[in-house]
Amino acid sequence: MHYLFKIAQLVLQENNSADELLETGYPQEEIDYIFRLLDLLEQNGYKCNADARAEIARTMPSPGTRELEAEEWKNIIWNSLSVGSCEEGESYCYSNAQGFIAKALCTDMYNLPEGMVNPHLFCFSGMMTAHLYAFEVIRFYAKHYNELLPLVCIGKGGNKGLFDKVFNREQGLMSGTEYQAYLNCLCQLAPEDYVRANERVCRDMDTAGNFDEIYLTAKSKGLSEITAVLCTGNFSYDRRLLAEAMWRFREEKYRDVKINLILVHCPAKLDLHVPEGHLSEILLGYIAASLGPLMKDTISFDGRTQSDRPERYLIPGIAAADWSKFEKLISRFSNMGWPNYQEILYGVPHRLAVTNIILSDLYARASFTPEDYEEGLKIDIADYQQVIGKYQGGDFLQYLVKTPDVKYF
């Protein structure tokens, strides 16, 4: 099906009838598909949250897959780095919960700064590449400082919309929750007692919950100060993550723990086997979800708000970015919800924005299977071990120190 987005636009914005669309030359099958979908959305009040998307996916036939032009998307992905990524040494000053000015710093994953207070590596975000990036951080931290960097895996204690069919399994590396998937994968690379030393129950169901888990990790260990080294595996998520973390960590409830923010930039690698490790519907959905919020409910660092209910800082330069480069990405590949991004950035009417999300979700669901993740994770881990050597017991720190100096990413 090639014209679903266009047909939806013509129906919702131009009020075209089915007969008019047919006369114009659009296929009857696609016209019928859109009118059936719009009828369902009318019944549910044009909702596109995880439950609504899942219900529509159970009701609507699959639209099949769509071809992604590699050259076109390579340019868009490259452009996303200039908006969503941080460069090494990039930093932002903000007011923390203790009433002082703090600095959030972005660093290269191979060169964590000296003098961090109680550093802990937090592996999270849902990208099933994050564990490999995290292990590289652990490996080179050991090489530089001859110490093991404490590891914490966090991530939803439930399932993310279109990934239900992957997480809702009793067996497999990727099952149950995001943080369990990371732990399972890292146990293939490191001794289990190290990987699970800081395992905790993740009860939180959204991005904000990740920040609470950082605080709770410090509290559970009796720390009054912690350096959260953030590793996501998502090259386009840096600025969104910092914009939200800096805003959240000013809150009174974090006052008894000083939280220092170090963000590890994870460079793009598009030759991995899991769906988000190469050009795919899933990868594009993650990029759309990383860039889209940067202009939503923001407040500037000087306190002049653009929103009555700010959720994140407005990173300098973001408002002036050329957002037209991402219109197709955000309007036709946002498969994780939030019509606001299209509405704010491109003036897309609400009903059409919701329909675009539903169509993106349906295409994304058709693009992968649980086996794509299971086998992809195993191959990616095996390929990584081919380069650094497999841990086979003994002193884990010495194993890390003696691994090759080659940088995998």
Side-chain angles (χ1 to χ4, degrees):
M1 294 190 180
H2 301 289
Y3 306 103
L4 295 180
F5 289 93
K6 183 61 177 178
I7 294 170
Q9 180 183 358
L10 291 171
V11 173
L12 291 171
Q13 287 193 282
E14 306 295 333
N15 203 29
N16 281 189
S17 68
D19 289 341
E20 289 172 325
L21 291 165
L22 192 59
E23 289 176 7
T24 306
Y26 289 102
Q28 181 75 61
E29 180 187 15
E30 297 194 38
I31 296 169
D32 292 343
Y33 190 94
I34 289 298
F35 275 92
R36 180 178 175 183
L37 176 59
L38 295 180
D39 182 59
L40 289 174
L41 287 171
E42 193 69 40
Q43 293 176 42
N44 84 355
Y46 277 85
K47 295 177 182 176
C48 61
N49 58 25
D51 290 340
R53 299 198 315 272
E55 180 58 33
I56 287 177
R58 286 190 287 269
T59 305
M60 289 293 297
S62 171
T65 58
R66 51 181 168 173
E67 187 174 345
L68 304 175
E69 293 291 338
E71 196 61 34
E72 173 191 11
W73 286 110
K74 184 168 68 174
N75 290 333
I76 293 174
I77 290 170
W78 179 258
N79 287 329
S80 77
L81 298 176
S82 65
V83 176
S85 301
C86 288
E87 297 180 0
E88 182 181 6
E90 190 171 327
S91 63
Y92 300 96
C93 294
Y94 65 101
S95 299
N96 63 16
Q98 290 74 38
F100 300 108
I101 299 300
K103 180 183 287 187
L105 174 67
C106 180
T107 185
D108 180 87
M109 63 188 298
Y110 294 105
N111 192 27
L112 292 185
E114 294 183 75
M116 295 183 294
V117 179
N118 296 324
H120 285 66
L121 178 64
F122 288 86
C123 175
F124 67 108
S125 82
M127 292 271 282
M128 287 301 131
T129 58
H131 53 283
L132 294 179
Y133 288 91
F135 199 84
E136 279 288 89
V137 175
I138 293 165
R139 192 163 71 91
F140 276 80
Y141 186 84
K143 285 178 173 292
H144 290 160
Y145 301 114
N146 200 38
E147 293 180 1
L148 287 177
L149 182 60
L151 168 70
V152 186
C153 294
I154 56 179
K156 289 183 174 63
N159 299 309
K160 287 173 78 174
L162 60 89
F163 296 113
D164 281 359
K165 62 185 177 183
V166 185
F167 282 118
N168 286 340
R169 303 181 302 156
E170 294 183 1
Q171 303 295 326
L173 291 175
M174 188 176 173
S175 60
T177 62
E178 291 169 15
Y179 82 93
Q180 288 171 340
Y182 292 139
L183 292 171
N184 291 339
C185 290
L186 285 162
C187 282
Q188 307 298 305
L189 296 164
E192 187 164 1
D193 60 348
Y194 166 73
V195 172
R196 298 186 182 276
N198 299 301
E199 184 175 359
R200 55 176 298 110
V201 175
C202 291
R203 301 178 298 274
D204 303 296
M205 297 296 291
D206 54 24
T207 301
N210 293 329
F211 306 139
D212 290 339
E213 290 297 329
I214 293 171
Y215 168 79
L216 291 172
T217 296
K219 290 289 288 183
S220 70
K221 303 181 82 168
L223 302 176
S224 60
E225 184 172 0
I226 189 171
T227 299
V229 181
L230 309 176
C231 180
T232 69
N234 184 343
F235 52 83
S236 62
Y237 187 38
D238 296 350
R239 287 179 174 149
R240 175 189 167 181
L241 177 55
L242 283 184
E244 295 175 6
M246 291 185 294
W247 178 248
R248 280 295 300 272
F249 283 140
R250 86 201 189 291
E251 294 180 8
E252 176 68 24
K253 68 178 182 178
Y254 302 118
R255 188 173 180 82
D256 58 336
V257 176
K258 186 175 185 290
I259 300 171
N260 307 306
L261 294 172
I262 300 287
L263 185 141
V264 171
H265 172 65
C266 297
K269 185 172 174 63
L270 301 179
D271 58 356
L272 298 171
H273 291 80
V274 290
E276 53 264 49
H278 54 264
L279 176 59
S280 67
E281 295 272 352
I282 304 304
L283 176 64
L284 296 179
Y286 271 112
I287 299 174
S290 299
L291 302 186
L294 286 171
M295 291 288 289
K296 175 183 175 290
D297 291 324
T298 60
I299 185 170
S300 56
F301 283 94
D302 61 11
R304 290 181 293 181
T305 183
Q306 295 183 346
S307 169
D308 294 333
R309 294 181 297 176
E311 296 180 358
R312 56 188 61 80
Y313 281 110
L314 178 63
I315 300 296
I318 292 298
D322 184 0
W323 286 96
S324 65
K325 294 178 179 179
F326 309 112
E327 184 168 4
K328 182 176 180 180
L329 171 73
I330 291 173
S331 295
R332 298 195 175 187
F333 289 85
S334 288
N335 49 46
M336 300 180 189
W338 298 105
N340 315 63
Y341 312 154
Q342 298 172 59
E343 297 167 25
I344 292 168
L345 292 167
Y346 309 112
V348 178
H350 178 71
R351 292 196 303 164
L352 179 57
V354 170
T355 305
N356 288 341
I357 285 172
I358 295 295
L359 288 172
S360 299
D361 175 88
L362 290 168
Y363 274 119
R365 289 174 192 268
S367 72
F368 73 95
T369 67
E371 290 70 34
D372 291 334
Y373 272 100
E374 193 65 22
E375 295 308 310
L377 286 169
K378 291 177 180 177
I379 295 171
D380 289 339
I381 291 170
D383 287 349
Y384 181 61
Q385 289 173 324
Q386 285 290 320
V387 173
I388 70 164
K390 188 173 183 178
Y391 173 70
Q392 297 182 346
D395 190 316
F396 180 55
L397 176 59
Q398 289 309 304
Y399 154 77
L400 293 173
V401 170
K402 293 177 181 179
T403 57
D405 289 337
V406 61
K407 298 176 180 180
Y408 193 72
F409 295 104

